[in-house]
């Protein structure tokens, strides 16, 4: 089996490459060479997906049995379309990693693969779907979701439908996470003391491990057929209490969780999703039906294992690739102390 990984040097893309090498596959990785080092035994091709000449040069390294695209999160639909058009001729299958944000109902409604997608044309540019600057005061900013819906349509416009697999993960955690959600919680819990915890411990969450998403992407690359799959842990399997208890356990922390009602957190202006990572009150965030993927072979390791391995990575000197989203996550200690004081 010979595959092309678009990305391949960090987090999910790196997990895909490692999983493929473990299977004895031949791997080509295409990226700009700015984030992480290429893994041994990988044919590394440097280039920019937005440069037509680089795409044509990449195609000369083919053909491949499959493309696994993990690096389109910041690309406009027209850029994904251009790449998929070039690669369709040199790859039998195309596995595209999208997101649940592409659904029109996210984060407010429970989701399945039958849920409607947002609008988004396959040839749209980067400004398509951008809201006015004050839109966040009126409702969710759907620019990212519209862009991702457009990129899905771009792949399907360039590659025959029966050769395309689209994966729509929710939150992905694990070693080398660059967003900073789980690393922040681990570092905060390790400091001990009274630890502000959001909402209620029984609140359901559905994060997945990057290594499990990678394994399923590789399985889909090897199997026949096409289609779309939501990627998430089973609804109700894990809770916020489970996550933070695991953080206490793996860090051997003497800290004490203090659960704050969501109304109090809102009163103090605590931002969902960022200042309190993984906390969001919209009812659809953690109600993503991923049973179709499970029936097709997706398995989700225990949350405790993801937490343990992420802490081990951090303690071993692991450093994520620099990314602006890292700075968005986590609560300032002074603000946390104010909320905790209100709970005393």
């Amino acid at each position: 089996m010979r595959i092309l990984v678009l990305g391949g040097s960090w987090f999910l893309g790196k997990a895909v490459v490692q999983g493929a090498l473990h299977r004895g596959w031949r791997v080509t990785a295409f990226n700009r060479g700015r984030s992480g080092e290429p893994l041994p035994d990988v044919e590394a091709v440097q280039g920019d997906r937005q440069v037509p000449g680089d795409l044509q040069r990449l195609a000369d390294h083919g053909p491949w049995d499959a493309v696994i695209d993990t690096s389109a999160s910041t690309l406009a639909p027209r850029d994904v379309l251009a790449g998929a058009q070039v690669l369709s001729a040199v790859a039998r299958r195309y596995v595209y990693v999208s997101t649940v944000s592409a659904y029109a109902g996210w984060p407010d409604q429970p989701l399945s693969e039958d849920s409607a997608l947002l609008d988004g044309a396959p040839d749209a540019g980067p400004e398509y779907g951008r809201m006015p600057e004050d839109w966040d005061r009126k409702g969710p900013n759907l620019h990212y979701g519209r862009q991702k819906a457009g990129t899905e349509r771009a792949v399907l416009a360039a590659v025959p439908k029966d050769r395309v697999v689209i994966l729509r993960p929710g939150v992905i955690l694990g070693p080398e996470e660059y967003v900073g959600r789980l690393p922040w919680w681990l570092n905060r819990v390790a400091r001990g003391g009274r630890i502000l915890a959001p909402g209620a411990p029984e609140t359901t969450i559905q994060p997945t491990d990057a290594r499990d998403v990678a394994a399923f992407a590789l399985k889909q690359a090897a199997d026949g057929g096409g289609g779309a799959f939501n990627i998430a842990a089973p609804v109700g399997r894990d809770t916020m209490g489970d996550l933070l208890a695991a953080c206490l356990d793996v860090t051997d922390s003497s800290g004490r969780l203090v659960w704050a009602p969501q109304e109090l957190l809102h009163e103090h202006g605590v931002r969902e999703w960022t200042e309190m990572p993984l906390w969001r009150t919209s009812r659809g965030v953690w109600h993503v039906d991923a049973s179709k993927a499970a029936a097709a072979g997706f398995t989700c390791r225990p949350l405790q294992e993801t937490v343990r391995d992420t802490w081990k990575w951090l303690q071993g000197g692991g450093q994520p690739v620099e990314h602006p989203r890292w700075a968005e996550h986590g609560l300032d200690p002074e603000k946390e102390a104010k909320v905790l004081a209100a709970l005393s």
Side-chain angles (χ1 to χ4, degrees), residues 80-282:
V80 174
L81 177 64
Q85 287 172 332
V86 171
L87 296 175
S88 179
V90 290
R92 288 192 296 160
R93 290 176 62 71
Y94 202 113
V95 179
Y96 179 68
V97 181
S98 182
T99 169
V100 293
S101 296
Y103 285 116
W106 196 90
D108 299 313
Q109 301 170 11
L111 300 172
S112 73
E113 287 85 0
D114 294 328
S115 300
L117 296 179
L118 288 163
D119 57 306
D123 58 352
E127 294 303 310
Y128 180 83
R130 196 176 296 282
M131 302 295 189
E133 290 184 3
D134 65 345
W135 183 259
D136 282 339
R137 293 197 293 270
K138 304 172 186 176
N141 190 329
L142 302 178
H143 174 247
Y144 176 67
R146 284 177 166 146
Q147 289 279 308
K148 294 302 289 185
T151 59
E152 289 190 20
R153 295 186 179 103
V155 174
L156 290 168
V159 184
K161 185 177 181 180
D162 62 351
R163 292 166 46 197
V164 176
V165 175
I166 294 174
L167 307 184
R168 298 183 184 126
V171 171
I172 303 175
L173 304 177
E176 302 198 37
E177 181 202 335
Y178 65 90
V179 177
R181 295 181 175 113
L182 181 52
W184 184 83
W185 274 118
L186 283 163
N187 287 323
R188 171 60 194 94
V189 167
R191 292 202 306 271
R194 298 174 73 222
I195 303 162
L196 184 65
E202 64 270 18
T203 301
T204 293
I205 59 174
Q206 291 181 273
T208 54
D209 191 295
R211 294 165 293 183
D212 297 330
V213 180
F216 189 66
L218 291 167
K219 186 178 188 306
Q220 290 302 308
D223 291 348
F229 297 90
N230 293 334
I231 305 297
V235 175
R237 191 194 74 164
D238 301 315
T239 67
M240 197 70 188
D242 294 332
L243 175 76
L244 297 187
C247 290
L248 286 166
D249 180 46
V250 303
T251 61
D252 197 25
S253 173
S254 61
R256 180 170 66 89
L257 299 175
V258 181
W259 294 90
Q262 64 186 41
E263 296 80 9
L264 181 66
L265 295 173
H266 288 150
E267 286 175 14
H268 283 78
V270 178
R271 294 192 301 275
E272 298 183 22
W273 211 234
T274 52
E275 285 189 308
M276 288 269 98
L278 303 178
W279 170 59
R280 195 160 186 171
T281 56
S282 301

Side-chain angles (χ1 to χ4, degrees), residues 258-316:
V258 181
W259 294 90
Q262 64 186 41
E263 296 80 9
L264 181 66
L265 295 173
H266 288 150
E267 286 175 14
H268 283 78
V270 178
R271 294 192 301 275
E272 298 183 22
W273 211 234
T274 52
E275 285 189 308
M276 288 269 98
L278 303 178
W279 170 59
R280 195 160 186 171
T281 56
S282 301
R283 73 186 186 98
V285 172
W286 301 119
H287 286 83
V288 177
D289 181 1
S291 58
K292 180 182 175 183
F298 174 67
T299 58
C300 191
R301 73 189 64 205
L303 181 59
Q304 172 87 13
E305 183 177 333
T306 300
V307 174
R308 181 199 68 205
D309 291 350
T310 303
W311 180 243
K312 182 178 180 180
W313 166 66
L314 288 170
Q315 290 297 99

